[in-house]
Amino acid sequence: MKNIKEINIKVEGKEWEEALDKAFVKANAKAKIDGFRPGKAPKEVFLKKYGKEALYMDAADIVLDGAYRKVFEDNKDLEIVAQPEIGLKSIDEKGVEFTFKLTLKPEVKLGKYKGLNVKKDSVKVTKEEVEHEIEHLRSHYAENVVKEGKVENGDIAIIDFEGFKDGKAFDGGKGENYSLTIGSNTFIPGFEDQIIGMAKGEEKDINVTFPEDYHSEELKGQPVVFKVKVNEIKEVKIPELDKDFFEDLGMEGIDSKESLEAQVKENIKARRDADAENKYIDELLEAAAKNVEVDIPDVMISEEQDRILRQYEENLKMQGLTLEQFYQFTNSDEAALREQMKDEATKRVTYRLMLEAIAKAEKIEITDEKANEEAETLAKRYQMPVDEFLKAFGGIEMIKYDLEMRGAIDVLKSE
């Protein structure tokens, strides 16, 4: 099969005899032989009862690690891209022979990867967008202040309520000191509108009809009456752009409307620039990949699916869900989810192989000095000691690899 190399490793002689001896000690410790305590039976007695064949598989396990290391030591020139598949070719009293099936990095034939005619989107930030973001900031620091007078749209009414159908109270229709934001549409249609105009201490019967698609069979489409009392009214106070607000923001150098507008505009532009850059790189990768010829081994796709699945599981955990719960909610299973991820996995592997081939073709090499400088820069950014950062990142070789890939992407950008 293409990109697959089979290597046979045989263990025999003294090494095999020593492995059989170790296997005997292990097996004898568990053996039940009349007249002997576990582990005390002579080897001849054990072999007479169980046969030498009983030791073969344990002995094979004992020598497997050494055979595994030998495969990699003897084939350092090969680019192995997945864990080897291991098979047992033969085993007897003279020795054991393993078959290691190695998946090799596939050949990548690069097509055109420069001058791809992909343009980066220009980024603009309008005055209206800045104002909208500032209003959002002001709303974040809004306070709910007790007010006199009557309930208006946008106010928060603190109410007691109880619902009745045909003169009888129904389950789930009662609440005390409930904070209802008027205009939020969290209650039955028509309920909040009838609160408008009520004053503190006022009581009122509110007539509404439950929607036809309401979850309760007893109440869907039914007219009901809510007895409501307003205990308190609060209005949402949006802070002014004054000294107190700027202090609450705690943004360095921000002490006026003008400086806030400038900072907000810069923040929006930075986000847009990052989004535009990511989109630009994605489009470059997609365009270059169309010109690539590569036969990707199935195992590389499978391992990438594993990585995507782990990422997906971590994202679910952040939402308080497990994969098992996700499968229940979506009436699916791991096989279905992996199938959905196959195209993305194939794309990621293709891009990775393509960038590695570009880095090789362009002779992009990262020196230890440059990699160490990058490690120090990143460690400072994440406020970590360099050694701890490198351990988390995967070591200096991963820094080098990352820089190589970035260098290859810069090549894609060239005209």
Side-chain angles (χ1 to χ4, degrees):
M1 188 183 294
K2 200 172 181 181
N3 303 318
I4 298 295
K5 181 179 178 67
E6 287 193 3
I7 294 175
N8 295 326
I9 298 289
K10 191 164 188 177
V11 180
E12 53 191 348
K14 184 179 178 182
E15 185 180 356
W16 182 238
E17 285 298 328
E18 289 176 352
L20 287 171
D21 289 340
K22 290 177 182 178
F24 161 69
V25 173
K26 179 181 177 182
N28 196 29
K30 301 176 183 178
K32 295 181 179 180
I33 300 176
D34 293 341
F36 297 95
R37 296 197 305 273
K40 299 300 181 179
K43 189 173 184 180
E44 313 84 66
V45 175
F46 175 93
L47 293 177
K48 187 175 181 181
K49 179 172 182 180
Y50 293 103
K52 204 167 189 176
E53 296 82 3
L55 305 176
Y56 290 170
M57 295 313 295
D58 280 341
D61 287 339
I62 290 168
V63 298
L64 179 58
D65 282 347
Y68 193 89
R69 285 194 300 272
K70 183 173 174 56
V71 167
F72 283 91
E73 287 170 3
D74 292 350
N75 296 277
K76 291 178 180 178
D77 57 323
L78 299 180
E79 290 190 80
I80 303 169
V81 295
Q83 289 294 323
E85 292 181 33
I86 304 171
L88 188 62
K89 187 174 183 181
S90 65
I91 189 168
D92 56 31
E93 62 180 340
K94 292 181 180 179
V96 60
E97 189 170 8
F98 298 104
T99 297
F100 290 83
K101 190 180 291 186
L102 309 180
T103 303
L104 307 182
K105 186 175 181 178
E107 179 186 359
V108 179
K109 292 183 179 178
L110 293 170
K112 182 179 179 182
Y113 60 86
K114 295 179 182 178
L116 294 169
N117 199 31
V118 175
K119 303 299 180 184
K120 183 177 178 179
D121 292 343
S122 59
V123 172
K124 294 180 181 178
V125 180
T126 66
K127 184 179 179 181
E128 290 74 21
E129 288 170 335
V130 172
E131 290 175 351
H132 180 270
E133 185 67 18
I134 290 176
E135 286 305 304
H136 179 73
L137 271 175
R138 290 176 66 199
S139 298
H140 183 70
Y141 286 88
E143 295 181 337
N144 300 329
V145 181
V146 175
K147 66 173 273 188
E148 301 299 325
K150 298 184 177 182
V151 177
E152 298 179 66
N153 194 35
D155 286 346
I156 299 172
I158 313 301
I159 61 173
D160 294 339
F161 63 89
E162 186 170 15
F164 296 85
K165 176 178 175 289
D166 299 329
K168 293 182 179 180
F170 54 83
D171 291 340
K174 186 176 182 179
E176 294 182 353
N177 287 320
Y178 183 88
S179 294
L180 176 62
T181 300
I182 307 303
S184 63
N185 299 317
T186 53
F187 268 42
I188 305 164
F191 186 97
E192 293 171 27
D193 292 339
Q194 296 180 62
I195 300 288
I196 295 174
M198 291 181 69
K200 178 180 178 180
E202 184 177 345
E203 298 182 21
K204 182 178 180 180
D205 286 355
I206 289 179
N207 293 280
V208 291
T209 300
F210 276 95
E212 292 291 343
D213 59 353
Y214 194 66
H215 62 82
S216 169
E217 289 294 332
E218 179 190 358
L219 296 173
K220 61 170 55 177
Q222 297 298 307
V224 296
V225 177
F226 280 94
K227 293 187 177 298
V228 177
K229 179 184 178 182
V230 175
N231 298 323
E232 194 171 55
I233 306 169
K234 295 181 179 180
E235 62 179 332
V236 181
K237 280 282 189 182
I238 306 292
E240 298 296 326
L241 296 177
D242 54 20
K243 181 181 177 182
D244 290 339
F245 178 65
F246 299 134
E247 287 180 355
D248 288 342
L249 277 179
M251 296 169 66
E252 188 176 350
I254 305 302
D255 56 7
S256 66
K257 179 182 178 183
E258 291 73 24
S259 60
L260 178 60
E261 287 175 338
Q263 184 63 59
V264 167
K265 184 175 183 178
E266 184 180 324
N267 292 346
I268 295 174
K269 187 175 185 304
R271 290 199 302 268
R272 295 266 177 85
D273 280 335
D275 290 342
E277 178 70 8
N278 289 335
K279 180 172 177 283
Y280 177 46
I281 291 172
D282 285 343
E283 290 176 350
L284 283 169
L285 290 167
E286 184 179 359
K290 289 178 181 177
N291 304 322
V292 165
E293 291 182 30
V294 59
D295 184 9
I296 302 173
D298 291 340
V299 68
M300 291 187 74
I301 304 298
S302 180
E303 289 190 353
E304 190 63 33
Q305 286 171 299
D306 291 341
R307 279 188 280 271
I308 297 174
L309 190 62
R310 287 195 296 270
Q311 291 172 347
Y312 197 80
E313 185 174 16
E314 288 302 313
N315 291 337
L316 286 175
K317 283 181 182 176
M318 292 173 67
Q319 301 172 45
L321 291 173
T322 65
L323 269 176
E324 289 68 29
Q325 289 171 323
F326 172 80
Y327 295 144
Q328 289 177 356
F329 296 154
T330 57
N331 193 29
S332 63
D333 54 23
E334 182 176 325
L337 186 57
R338 288 178 69 87
E339 183 61 30
Q340 290 177 30
M341 295 172 171
K342 188 171 183 179
D343 287 346
E344 176 64 21
T346 303
K347 183 174 75 172
R348 289 189 188 186
V349 175
T350 302
Y351 288 175
R352 187 164 66 241
L353 290 170
M354 177 181 71
L355 290 173
E356 289 171 357
I358 291 172
K360 186 175 181 179
E362 297 290 329
K363 296 181 172 57
I364 298 172
E365 295 181 359
I366 308 301
T367 63
D368 289 344
E369 183 181 2
K370 188 172 183 179
N372 285 320
E373 286 176 5
E374 179 70 6
E376 289 177 9
T377 300
L378 292 173
K380 285 179 183 177
R381 183 182 302 168
Y382 292 104
Q383 299 180 329
M384 296 171 67
V386 176
D387 56 342
E388 286 185 19
F389 172 78
L390 282 173
K391 187 177 180 181
F393 197 81
I396 200 69
E397 291 305 315
M398 283 303 297
I399 296 285
K400 286 185 176 182
Y401 181 81
D402 187 56
L403 289 172
E404 285 176 4
M405 295 302 96
R406 282 152 59 182
I409 289 172
D410 287 340
V411 172
L412 290 179
K413 295 176 181 178
S414 60
E415 295 298 329

